[in-house]
Amino acid sequence: MNARPRRSGPPVGSAAPELVESGFTLENADAPFLHDGLNLADIAHVLDLRRRGVIPEAAARDLQRVLLEVHDTDAAHFPYDPALGEPYNSREHFFVERLGDVAGWLHAGRPRREAARIALRLYVRRQLLDLVDEVAAFAREATDLADRHVATLMPDQTYLQQAQPSTFGHYVLSFAYPALRDGQRLLDALGWVNRSPGGAGCVNGTRLLDDRSFIAAALGFDDVIEHTRDAMWQVDGLIHVLATAASLLSTLSKLAEDLEIWSSSEFDFVDLDDGYTRASILMPQKRNPYALSIVRGASGVVIGRLTGFLAVAKSPSARSDNLIFAYGEVPRALDLSTRVTRLMGGVVRTLQVNAGRMAQELDAGYTQATDLCEHIVQTCGVDYRSAYVVVGRTVREASRRGVPGRAITGEMLDQVALAETGRAWGLTGRDLARVLDPAAIVASRTGTGGAAPAAVRAMVAQCRQQARELEDTVRGRRQDLDGATALLLERARDLVGTGVA
């Protein structure tokens, strides 16, 4: 019995309406992200075919003329139609209507996915530069805020409990540093993004385009992706891009959560500028820190997009599903990250710090307990654990009696030491004023990275320098990309106008 012959060849007829509604409509919604890049990829491809003598001169000019027209057309005004398939199919339909079979030269040596892969990279590389720019701006605002509050004492916290005396300037810098590190990671990811899959063919290359460097240079790529199959299907770099964006927003979300708590009437450590708050419709006394909710929520959304993309990207190799969704999810995640980083920069720039309220809480608390333990270790020959137990019991008793930390006396400590260890430690009558003074404690933290003013100012200068370096790198990369794009369009226009490119 003969086996039933398999169906081969392209499908006949229209796509099922369910496929149009659920698949092609989704892909066409992402067309605005790809539109400019598809145009540039097509323009470079035609120039490459022409220089090799693959495409007739007249056909190259006709194609470039229409491609330049489409390049000058906004994506919203181009007839992308889900009924025709994905965005590339709409473009093909448009070119065939305008040029007939001449449009078929665009397919020479290139599958549809190559143009889309290039377009995604062209779009994402610009987004990465925009995001790094906002990271640098946020870091500058954070360091400026830190510089203004180098000497603003506050009770730093862990687990939302008072921990040790510090300054608001030292606290704020703890968010500038990770943001700057993520900014550098985004630039590193740009090195992956800015490599060309052009000329890779479907999986094993193409006989028509043995030299892939022309398209790479014409589109401003740093180099080609060497392995042709890998060039078409790699997604690991996109995962790193999303992961770094999620890391950045996680840092901003931590700061936002702190500020939301500290702006409450219960803390009153900071005040958000009115422009970053929202009124309650029902309760006239409320001024909600709405901007911080946006930051916290956006962090969750980007984490979700990273997780979702990881779930899709685990599919077998050479499958479209691991990139169909990337065309929309990656740009949307980066766009949201850029907007939120800019928002948090505004929050920090306009933040009001209530130094008096912070000092009040510091004076009423017991943040000097650790330093007191260390002083006892240094002067009484007592191990740290014993000092910890005695100071802890003394703090508990002082708290019960309403005695603040700076008013703890040597006599109080000796009484507890006698009860705990069987002997007093000779602290009665000793002057503990500097040991218990939060300002003196902060001033003693002169080591690298400490909270002393000089140490914080050194870190402020360092963060400012790193932010400037990020900005300078972004500026240089933008100029390179702008120059490559301008040259490519100039060559295409020369071909249309004079027949020479």
Side-chain angles (χ1 to χ4, degrees):
M1 182 177 179
N2 293 330
R4 180 179 177 274
R6 296 173 55 195
R7 291 186 180 181
S8 297
V12 177
S14 302
E18 297 88 349
L19 176 58
V20 172
E21 180 183 5
S22 62
F24 296 143
T25 297
L26 175 71
E27 292 185 79
N28 277 268
D30 300 335
F33 302 131
L34 304 177
H35 181 73
D36 287 343
L38 289 171
N39 295 327
L40 295 175
D42 285 348
I43 289 170
H45 184 59
V46 171
L47 289 175
D48 198 17
L49 293 175
R50 176 181 175 271
R51 79 182 183 93
R52 296 169 181 275
V54 174
I55 183 174
E57 189 76 11
R61 283 198 299 271
D62 289 344
L63 269 172
Q64 290 292 38
R65 185 182 67 256
V66 177
L67 283 169
L68 288 170
E69 176 187 325
V70 175
H71 173 75
D72 293 332
T73 302
D74 189 86
H77 300 132
F78 186 83
Y80 289 109
D81 183 357
L84 298 173
E86 62 184 272
Y88 190 91
N89 296 119
S90 291
R91 292 171 62 85
E92 180 183 36
H93 181 80
F94 178 85
F95 295 141
V96 169
E97 281 192 331
R98 293 288 301 274
L99 298 171
D101 289 342
V102 169
W105 286 105
L106 279 175
H107 304 320
R110 186 185 72 166
R112 79 178 79 191
R113 73 177 62 90
E114 180 182 304
R117 302 291 198 266
I118 289 174
L120 177 63
R121 287 171 180 264
L122 297 185
Y123 192 83
V124 168
R125 72 185 184 184
R126 292 285 187 174
Q127 286 191 296
L128 287 174
L129 293 176
D130 290 343
L131 180 52
V132 174
D133 232 2
E134 293 301 335
V135 169
F138 166 79
R140 279 192 289 100
E141 299 296 352
T143 52
D144 287 349
L145 180 62
D147 200 18
R148 294 195 295 272
H149 293 282
V150 165
T152 300
L153 295 173
M154 63 168 281
D156 206 343
Q157 299 175 336
T158 61
Y159 293 92
L160 206 57
Q161 306 293 313
Q162 290 193 9
Q164 291 181 285
S166 187
T167 67
F168 192 76
H170 187 265
Y171 162 81
V172 169
L173 285 181
S174 69
F175 298 95
Y177 274 104
L180 288 166
R181 290 195 295 271
D182 278 330
Q184 185 58 56
R185 291 185 187 104
L186 290 168
L187 287 180
D188 293 342
L190 178 64
W192 178 90
V193 171
N194 204 39
R195 295 171 69 86
S196 172
C202 183
V203 291
N204 70 345
T206 170
R207 72 174 70 235
L208 298 180
L209 306 172
D210 58 310
D211 176 12
R212 298 168 54 206
S213 63
F214 176 86
I215 288 177
L219 293 171
F221 286 115
D222 296 328
D223 203 347
V224 300
I225 303 168
E226 185 167 1
H227 193 288
T228 54
R229 191 176 194 268
D230 180 46
M232 282 295 97
W233 301 103
Q234 62 177 238
V235 296
D236 52 299
L238 295 177
I239 292 169
H240 283 283
V241 166
L242 290 173
T244 304
S247 172
L248 171 64
L249 262 61
S250 178
T251 293
L252 301 183
S253 181
K254 289 182 177 70
L255 176 58
E257 292 201 33
D258 285 354
L259 296 182
E260 183 171 307
I261 293 168
W262 290 357
S263 66
S264 68
S265 57
E266 287 76 14
F267 273 84
D268 194 27
F269 281 3
V270 298
D271 280 315
L272 267 66
D273 183 83
D274 281 350
Y276 297 93
T277 67
R278 189 175 72 170
S280 166
I281 295 299
L282 178 66
M283 295 164 280
Q285 83 282 8
K286 291 189 69 183
R287 194 173 65 99
N288 296 321
Y290 189 71
L292 305 180
S293 297
I294 297 297
V295 175
R296 293 167 55 217
S299 175
V301 168
V302 173
I303 290 170
R305 284 188 166 138
L306 166 62
T307 305
F309 187 64
L310 280 168
V312 171
K314 67 174 180 55
S315 62
S317 68
R319 300 292 199 278
S320 291
D321 48 348
N322 60 10
L323 275 154
I324 286 173
F325 296 93
Y327 297 130
E329 289 302 295
V330 175
R332 288 187 178 91
L334 290 176
D335 178 68
L336 180 59
S337 299
T338 301
R339 292 170 185 266
V340 167
T341 305
R342 185 181 305 123
L343 171 62
M344 204 60 191
V347 168
V348 169
R349 183 180 64 254
T350 59
L351 190 70
Q352 296 296 312
V353 178
N354 300 331
R357 178 75 182 107
M358 288 180 173
Q360 182 183 4
E361 278 298 307
L362 190 59
D363 285 341
Y366 301 92
T367 55
Q368 53 278 88
T370 300
D371 279 74
L372 182 54
C373 287
E374 292 175 350
H375 174 75
I376 290 171
V377 168
Q378 290 177 308
T379 61
C380 299
V382 176
D383 68 276
Y384 189 85
R385 184 64 188 171
S386 296
Y388 174 95
V389 171
V390 168
V391 170
R393 280 198 55 187
T394 302
V395 166
R396 180 182 289 272
E397 178 62 19
S399 175
R400 187 185 66 80
R401 291 163 47 189
V403 177
R406 65 165 61 244
I408 288 175
T409 64
E411 182 180 9
M412 293 168 65
L413 292 164
D414 269 345
Q415 288 176 354
V416 176
L418 182 62
E420 286 291 327
T421 67
R423 68 180 182 89
W425 291 346
L427 293 167
T428 299
R430 187 178 298 182
D431 183 7
L432 300 177
R434 283 194 59 78
V435 177
L436 299 175
D437 179 11
I441 291 172
V442 168
S444 72
R445 299 317 203 255
T446 56
T448 301
V456 173
R457 289 191 182 98
M459 290 187 286
V460 164
Q462 183 183 68
C463 287
R464 280 180 174 150
Q465 177 62 29
Q466 291 179 14
R468 282 194 296 269
E469 290 172 358
L470 288 181
E471 290 171 328
D472 290 344
T473 301
V474 168
R475 189 179 303 111
R477 295 308 297 264
R478 277 208 185 102
Q479 290 173 351
D480 292 343
L481 297 183
D482 290 344
T485 300
L487 179 59
L488 175 63
L489 294 174
E490 179 183 350
R491 297 180 72 175
R493 292 182 181 115
D494 286 347
L495 172 59
V496 171
T498 66
V500 177

